[in-house]
Every structure is written in C-alpha cells, then in structure tokens.
Amino acid sequence: MLVSIITPSYNSIEYIDSVYGSICDQSYQNWEWLVTDDFSSDDTFKFLLELSKKDSRVRVFKNKENSGAAISRNNSISQSSGDFIAFIDSDDLWLQNKLKKQIQFMEDNNHDFSFTSYELIDGDGACFNKIVDNHDIQCVSYDDMLRKKATLGCSTVMLRRTAFDDISMPLIRTGQDYGLWLKLLKTGVNAYLISEVLTQYRILPDSISRNKIKKAKRQWQIYREIEKLPLFKSIECFCFYAWRAVFRK
C-alpha cells in the first residue's frame, strides 16, 4: 500500500532536509513525498528540486505566488496517488516506526482516520518534556472536535483515501487542518488515537500557532464561517475550547 506524504514548504531550508531524513528513516518504505513550495524566498525550492532528481519518490511543485498552506497542501493532495494520505509539516519529524505502526493500526481495526500522540521540540530538536494527545481517549467524533477534546496535530494524521470523497482543506490562512478534520468527522467517521509518541512537533518563536489571540480568532471564525454553527452553539464550543486551552496539561 502506497502512502502519499503531504508537505507545504515556505522558507524551510533550515529544517526541510531533516524532514526528508525522518521520512527516509521510516521502517515502512512504500511512500511518495509530495511537497508544494509556497513561493519561498530562500533556497527551499532549489533544494527540493535537486532532491527530486536524486530520489524519484520525491515530487515537487511550486505556487505561482505565496498562497498559504491550504492551497499548497491541496495541490499536493490533488497530485497524489496513495492508498493512504499522511501529513508532515516542513519542520516536524517522525519517529522511525510512525508509518508502519499507523498503517498496521488502521488495517487491523478497519479505521479510516487516525492520529498519534506527539512531543514538542524546539528549533534545535531539544524536547520540552511536553506530550500532546496522550490522554485517555480512544477516538474523537465531530462534536468532540468542535470542543477540542483532542488537538490532532497535522503531522500525526493519516487518512484512508477511499473513505472520503473530498480531502481538500478549506481555504483559510490558518487552522485549515482543523477545518479539514471537522469536515471529515462530519461524515460520521471517528478519528482514532494511537497513544504513543510517533511524531515530534517543532515550536519556533515566530510560529503562528504560538499566538493565542490569533488562534482564538481563528477558532471563532471556523465555528461561524466554516461550520456555520448557530451563535449559542458557537459560544458553547468556544467555552470548551478556551477551558481546554488554559487547563489541559
């Protein structure tokens, strides 16, 4: 079974080689890596082109202008041909058995949507000693995700392609992965957790995800504009989101 690995890149020259290394080190080797560069101003695209000449499993594309991660990911997804879709961002890392264990988990249990626990690392790869999505849950539903019962880090997710008619992300600048998870869960499937750290998520000083005010605004926008929830329902879900953002360990 082929796994299509989806990555958006933008000025990622510092970390993109490490990402490729963690993919190459996987114990499961039947994969293709599709990277869409979002009009980088550094040498990211040049590096990826050279890489694709050496490794036929690497397929590289480039946006005509800076367009955001959603358009970049959607382009790679549209060009992919795998039985499974996996995501990894341009500065994150996978542990060696990530793909193998996730495919086995999904095949053994007939799951279409899975995610893993992950740990946070800094720019140098040092651990913050913080693990995310390692709490005692088996799966997450649409209503659970509205209330952010789990984080579902993008670089941890794997999807079975044939289970979904549309795997494209909503065209918003941030939170597009969360918007996709909601869209898929809304079909009635659940996302199943592998409560083992198989991914390392890099936290950088200029990371969009570190700005709590922007994250809160994005969350509200998704409730009201993407999911079109009624006002009271949006307030209810936002309260759950805010409580978990403050008190989740």
Side-chain angles (χ1 to χ4, degrees), residues 57-213:
R57 300 171 298 177
V58 179
R59 301 172 59 194
V60 181
F61 312 92
K62 185 176 184 178
N63 294 335
K64 294 181 179 179
E65 60 184 6
N66 185 261
S67 305
I71 286 177
S72 300
R73 289 193 183 106
N74 287 347
N75 179 69
S76 289
I77 291 168
S78 71
Q79 302 286 343
S80 67
S81 55
D83 304 288
F84 292 95
I85 301 289
F87 300 89
I88 186 168
D89 284 346
S90 58
D91 53 6
D92 294 342
L93 300 171
W94 285 342
L95 275 66
Q96 190 175 32
N97 288 324
K98 196 266 189 186
L99 290 181
K100 181 179 181 180
K101 287 189 174 184
Q102 203 159 9
I103 291 170
Q104 193 69 54
F105 173 73
M106 293 175 72
E107 287 292 279
D108 287 349
N109 297 283
N110 198 28
H111 294 328
D112 297 321
F113 187 160
S114 71
F115 64 109
T116 82
S117 302
Y118 63 94
E119 63 183 348
L120 304 183
I121 60 174
D122 66 14
D124 297 322
C127 294
F128 285 109
N129 294 319
K130 181 175 176 58
I131 298 175
V132 182
D133 285 346
N134 65 327
H135 39 293
D136 187 25
I137 59 171
Q138 287 187 323
C139 64
V140 178
S141 68
Y142 174 69
D143 284 338
D144 292 333
M145 202 61 206
L146 284 175
R147 293 165 174 80
K148 291 292 282 186
K149 186 176 179 180
T151 303
L152 265 75
C154 188
S155 295
T156 78
V157 167
M158 183 179 288
L159 306 169
R160 191 187 304 273
R161 177 190 291 277
T162 56
F164 305 102
D165 294 329
D166 180 12
I167 307 180
S168 63
M169 293 191 170
L171 299 181
I172 50 179
R173 275 284 182 168
T174 63
Q176 61 280 147
D177 49 346
Y178 176 62
L180 175 58
W181 313 152
L182 288 172
K183 181 171 74 171
L184 300 181
L185 293 171
K186 204 171 186 177
T187 67
V189 305
N190 291 328
Y192 290 85
L193 170 65
I194 301 175
S195 56
E196 177 182 351
V197 173
L198 295 174
T199 305
Q200 293 182 317
Y201 179 86
R202 200 181 300 271
I203 298 291
L204 301 173
D206 59 350
S207 171
I208 293 174
S209 63
R210 297 201 72 178
N211 189 311
K212 294 185 182 299
I213 294 176

Side-chain angles (χ1 to χ4, degrees), residues 210-249:
R210 297 201 72 178
N211 189 311
K212 294 185 182 299
I213 294 176
K214 285 185 178 180
K215 286 178 71 175
K217 288 181 177 178
R218 175 200 73 191
Q219 193 76 15
W220 185 256
Q221 177 194 13
I222 290 173
Y223 287 152
R224 297 291 283 156
E225 298 177 18
I226 304 296
E227 294 304 302
K228 301 189 184 303
L229 299 181
L231 179 60
F232 181 78
K233 179 79 169 179
S234 298
I235 293 171
E236 175 196 349
C237 292
F238 190 84
C239 288
F240 276 99
Y241 158 78
W243 186 88
R244 288 191 164 105
V246 173
F247 294 107
R248 175 178 287 160
K249 293 181 180 180

Side-chain angles (χ1 to χ4, degrees), residues 40 46 48:
S40 290
K46 178 181 177 182
L48 289 167

Side-chain angles (χ1 to χ4, degrees), residues 8-51:
S9 65
Y10 177 70
N11 289 352
S12 308
I13 193 63
E14 186 173 358
Y15 299 112
I16 197 70
D17 190 31
S18 296
V19 179
Y20 173 66
S22 84
I23 295 172
C24 286
D25 285 344
Q26 289 298 299
S27 54
Y28 188 89
Q29 283 290 305
N30 189 17
W31 51 261
E32 60 175 358
W33 187 31
L34 299 98
V35 189
T36 297
D37 185 72
D38 197 18
F39 209 72
S40 290
S41 57
D42 64 5
D43 289 332
T44 302
F45 184 65
K46 178 181 177 182
F47 172 83
L48 289 167
L49 275 183
E50 291 301 314
L51 197 60

